[in-house]
Amino acid sequence: MIWKEILIRYGELSTKGRNKNDFIHRLRENIRYSFHDIMPLKIRAERDRMFIEIENEEKMNVLLERLPEVFGIQSFSPVASCEKDMEQMKALAIQIMELYKDEEITFKVEVRRTDKNFPLDSHGIQREIGGTVLRNYQNLSVNVKKPDVELRIEVRLDAVYMMAQVIPGAGGMPVGSNGKSLLMLSGGIDSPVAGYLMMKRGVRLEAIHFYSPPYTSQNSLQKVKDLANELTKFGAKIRLHIIPFTELQVLIKERVPENMTMTTTRRMMLRIADKVREEIGALAIVTGESLGQVASQTLESLTAINDVTSTPILRPLIANDKLDIINIAERIGTYETSIQPYEDCCTIFTPASPKTKPKLEKVMHYESFTEFDEYIERAVRNREVHMLPEKKRQEDQFADFL
């Protein structure tokens, strides 16, 4: 194996000022979390880039597969190394460019010479290495302005380092660098995508789900756990709060006019979510709402629902159409889980003709006949909490003898 390390470029982090080191520290810790199964990793962070030392090919393959899912990385490159000898440098360049032997592409050689005592200057190295590559690969041609591939050479004090691949990263900000929010996670397509987009902006998530047995099944609950688990692969654990919602949902159905039940249900969910948010110290609530997508997501409905809290409600999907959301869900790996045919509490007791433009005064009037506070408190108090990803239990090797 020729690869010695992986070079990580920060991208957006590079624009940060005095708190830049905090963002870099968070990224390093997120990488350690994402690759806990192949630890230890030797990570060296510099102001504008980070390096992960490569110990063997197995670790290399895992890193190449999963680094594109870690937020805060603009791009990364496998880096090879050799001694500061022109013949060895030429041989290494030929090895690296072997990756492109079957493609008709353009390239150029870019040299950065930290060791000023090296016999050849940057232009001399470019000529020598570029000529060697051209002689060995007839399919390559030179383009110094917009090449398909840049063979980058760094002559450092200890050795020479080379790279050609630039693999796109997930971009964004390291998860946890922009505070914590509570994601209202249903079993649908939208809310996991909303969570993903907030994580990309550096927000650490906890999630809340409303569970209404026996109207919703254990399969529907497992589906939500699976969705939360999918989101953890982007660099952070997620704590999932399961709210027992049957009692409140049945009460709403009995006490509120049918065409208003959807609005009141959402208002009660938001009141519960706000209490959990306050307990866990989150700064905002995240939802997967998209304007006009369903009856409860008109401006009038959102206004009536929002009235129960002054907490910021973050809606990253508000201007997206359904196809945009589906495309993201497919890309991040949540779509196939989301479309499993298990109902969640949002789909039961759905009125035939829900109000699309509910009047806040009327909603408050109908709710005033029922004391919802004690039910809300009980739902919050009786919630289950799961930390994802869940640790796998080790099987008892002596179980068969008992």
Side-chain angles (χ1 to χ4, degrees):
M1 186 184 74
I2 64 171
W3 307 113
K4 178 182 176 63
E5 60 190 19
I6 290 179
L7 181 153
I8 291 173
R9 302 174 189 86
Y10 300 143
E12 190 174 347
L13 267 78
S14 300
T15 65
K16 296 299 173 185
R18 293 180 181 178
N19 60 348
K20 182 173 181 176
N21 286 339
D22 295 335
F23 286 88
I24 293 172
H25 173 76
R26 174 53 54 196
L27 174 59
R28 181 170 52 201
E29 292 308 304
N30 289 353
I31 290 173
R32 291 190 192 282
Y33 166 76
S34 296
F35 295 97
H36 63 88
D37 54 327
I38 60 168
M39 292 294 283
L41 285 179
K42 293 182 180 178
I43 303 175
R44 184 175 82 258
E46 297 180 358
R47 183 158 182 80
D48 295 313
R49 52 192 185 171
M50 186 178 288
F51 297 91
I52 304 177
E53 188 174 312
I54 303 299
E55 296 176 3
N56 54 58
E57 195 163 353
E58 289 73 24
K59 281 192 177 183
M60 172 74 173
N61 292 335
V62 174
L63 286 162
L64 291 181
E65 179 185 356
R66 289 176 3 209
L67 272 175
E69 297 174 344
V70 179
F71 292 127
I73 297 175
Q74 188 65 28
S75 65
F76 61 95
S77 298
V79 180
S81 177
C82 70
E83 293 183 16
K84 292 187 287 185
D85 173 81
M86 277 308 302
E87 293 308 312
Q88 289 194 39
M89 291 164 64
K90 290 176 182 178
L92 184 57
I94 292 170
Q95 262 190 294
I96 291 173
M97 297 307 287
E98 179 83 6
L99 290 166
Y100 308 102
K101 65 179 181 178
D102 298 323
E103 304 175 53
E104 292 289 334
I105 59 171
T106 60
F107 84 105
K108 81 168 183 177
V109 179
E110 190 67 38
V111 177
R112 180 178 175 184
R113 192 170 63 110
T114 306
D115 182 3
K116 303 302 181 184
N117 293 319
F118 191 77
L120 285 179
D121 63 12
S122 297
H123 294 298
I125 297 171
Q126 285 175 325
R127 285 194 301 271
E128 289 286 332
I129 299 296
T132 299
V133 170
L134 281 173
R135 285 193 295 274
N136 280 270
Y137 296 105
Q138 305 302 315
N139 59 306
L140 302 183
S141 58
V142 174
N143 183 331
V144 296
K145 290 186 177 180
K146 287 188 177 180
D148 298 314
V149 174
E150 263 191 31
L151 177 59
R152 303 181 187 186
I153 302 173
E154 295 187 11
V155 183
R156 303 182 201 167
L157 294 175
D158 62 326
V160 172
Y161 296 82
M162 290 190 200
M163 67 197 87
Q165 281 180 289
V166 177
I167 302 169
M173 307 296 294
V175 175
S177 61
N178 274 325
K180 181 167 70 174
S181 292
L182 181 65
L183 170 67
M184 297 181 72
L185 183 62
S186 71
I189 296 170
D190 302 343
S191 56
V193 174
Y196 163 83
L197 292 175
M198 294 312 302
M199 292 175 79
K200 187 172 184 177
R201 298 313 307 156
V203 175
R204 184 177 296 281
L205 294 178
E206 294 197 23
I208 186 170
H209 177 71
F210 296 87
Y211 180 49
S212 296
Y215 303 103
T216 55
S217 67
Q218 190 65 34
N219 285 333
S220 73
L221 182 56
Q222 185 58 50
K223 174 181 171 181
V224 170
K225 289 182 181 179
D226 291 342
L227 288 171
N229 200 58
E230 279 294 318
L231 292 177
T232 65
K233 71 185 181 186
F234 298 106
K237 294 179 181 179
I238 291 179
R239 195 159 52 157
L240 175 63
H241 302 259
I242 307 294
I243 301 293
F245 198 58
T246 310
E247 187 179 39
L248 252 172
Q249 202 162 8
V250 170
L251 186 67
I252 292 167
K253 184 176 185 294
E254 292 173 350
R255 303 287 181 86
V256 177
E258 185 183 32
N259 62 353
M260 290 284 193
T261 56
M262 184 177 292
T263 302
T264 296
T265 298
R266 295 292 197 278
R267 282 164 59 88
M268 297 304 128
M269 286 179 171
L270 194 51
R271 287 180 64 182
I272 290 170
D274 205 25
K275 286 186 175 295
V276 173
R277 175 207 62 79
E278 189 174 5
E279 280 189 24
I280 65 176
L283 300 175
I285 295 171
V286 180
T287 78
E289 290 158 327
S290 173
L291 190 61
Q293 192 178 123
V294 295
S296 64
Q297 295 176 19
T298 64
L299 274 178
E300 291 84 356
S301 289
L302 294 177
T303 299
I305 294 165
N306 271 25
D307 181 69
V308 300
T309 180
S310 59
T311 296
I313 309 297
L314 306 179
R315 296 181 170 96
L317 304 181
I318 197 69
N320 290 70
D321 65 36
K322 196 66 176 183
L323 289 179
D324 294 334
I325 298 168
I326 289 172
N327 287 338
I328 299 173
E330 289 175 335
R331 178 161 52 82
I332 67 176
T334 58
Y335 180 72
E336 291 301 325
T337 303
S338 291
I339 61 173
Q340 291 175 5
Y342 305 122
E343 290 187 327
D344 60 33
C345 68
C346 295
T347 57
I348 62 173
F349 304 152
T350 303
S353 302
K355 277 278 186 185
T356 58
K357 297 181 179 181
K359 295 285 190 296
L360 178 59
E361 312 80 52
K362 283 192 174 182
V363 175
M364 295 176 69
H365 171 73
Y366 291 126
E367 289 177 8
S368 68
F369 298 108
T370 305
E371 182 54 63
F372 286 105
D373 288 357
E374 63 177 288
Y375 295 92
I376 290 170
E377 293 288 348
R378 187 155 55 242
V380 172
R381 190 169 58 248
N382 293 336
R383 72 185 187 272
E384 293 181 12
V385 181
H386 301 265
M387 182 62 78
L388 299 168
E390 292 177 324
K391 291 182 179 178
K392 293 181 179 178
R393 294 181 181 176
Q394 291 186 340
E395 292 185 9
D396 185 352
Q397 57 182 323
F398 300 110
D400 291 340
F401 293 99
L402 299 179

